[in-house]
Amino acid sequence: MTTPDPFPSHRPNVGVVLFNAEGLTWIGRRADIAHSRRWQWPQGGVDDGEDLETAARRELAEETGIRSAEYLARTEDWVAYDFPPGVIARDKRLGRRGWLGQKQIWFAFRFTGTEAEINLFDDGEPEFDQWRWEKLERVIDVAAPFKHDVYQRVISAFGVFARPEA
């Protein structure tokens, strides 16, 4: 017997926390919000029938250019957040499906490439216009407030990877 979906009105999504050898995480500044001070980890929708890790790797590559990443871990259960009213209204105006928020499975990867691989502007409209490496626990300070609860859960789940490699 399958368990009913606890978030049927939330868009299936994956998120990626990419750690470098020093234990810092990759974050990008949102390009679609003028003068944004909002930074986030790469994330994106899951295509119908797509394996979740495959979706996470695809989103990471589409948004950052990064393909050199070693799997570390994933969250077992969906982690969900609701969109603020302004996002829901914008989506309705644009004729998008009326999701109330997103449900996410988060993946932790270790970056195994070089920074020359990072390319934010390779594929059409960029998701991010800047990037940097940041301490895991500090990402919540620059993330959108409606994502804080999710980010806190992700920080707790992946804190073990936020240290330099031996």
Side-chain angles (χ1 to χ4, degrees):
M1 184 160 110
T2 60
T3 305
D5 183 350
F7 307 105
S9 299
H10 289 67
R11 176 180 177 237
N13 193 279
V14 289
V16 174
V17 180
L18 182 73
F19 291 90
N20 67 10
E22 288 77 41
L24 301 175
T25 68
W26 191 102
I27 59 172
R29 188 178 75 169
R30 294 288 305 257
D32 62 344
I33 303 169
H35 309 293
S36 177
R37 292 183 136 168
R38 300 294 179 224
W39 294 72
Q40 67 181 49
W41 289 307
Q43 67 176 56
V46 178
D47 295 335
D48 286 339
E50 187 176 28
D51 172 78
L52 295 174
E53 183 178 343
T54 300
R57 289 181 180 282
R58 176 183 50 75
E59 286 294 334
L60 180 63
E62 286 175 3
E63 295 183 359
T64 69
I66 295 171
R67 288 180 170 72
S68 303
E70 172 190 0
Y71 173 87
L72 297 172
R74 63 164 269 187
T75 58
E76 288 304 312
D77 298 318
W78 292 105
V79 181
Y81 65 86
D82 294 334
F83 292 133
V87 171
I88 293 171
R90 179 203 67 203
D91 286 350
K92 284 183 181 179
R93 238 185 3 263
L94 295 173
R96 296 179 180 161
R97 181 168 176 178
W99 297 111
L100 297 181
Q102 299 199 89
K103 59 184 176 185
Q104 300 174 307
I105 295 292
W106 282 87
F107 287 83
F109 292 111
R110 179 80 61 197
F111 183 47
T112 58
T114 67
E115 290 184 1
E117 181 176 341
I118 300 170
N119 184 351
L120 304 181
F121 306 101
D122 188 37
D123 190 23
E125 287 292 314
E127 183 78 19
F128 305 113
D129 63 6
Q130 292 183 30
W131 69 273
R132 70 180 194 236
W133 295 107
E134 184 58 80
K135 290 182 179 180
L136 179 69
E137 68 275 5
R138 294 204 47 215
V139 176
I140 201 166
D141 297 334
V142 294
F146 66 92
K147 294 183 180 183
H148 283 184
D149 288 343
V150 167
Y151 274 37
Q152 191 57 57
R153 288 181 64 183
V154 171
I155 289 166
S156 294
F158 297 152
V160 66
F161 304 114
R163 59 183 172 3
E165 289 185 294

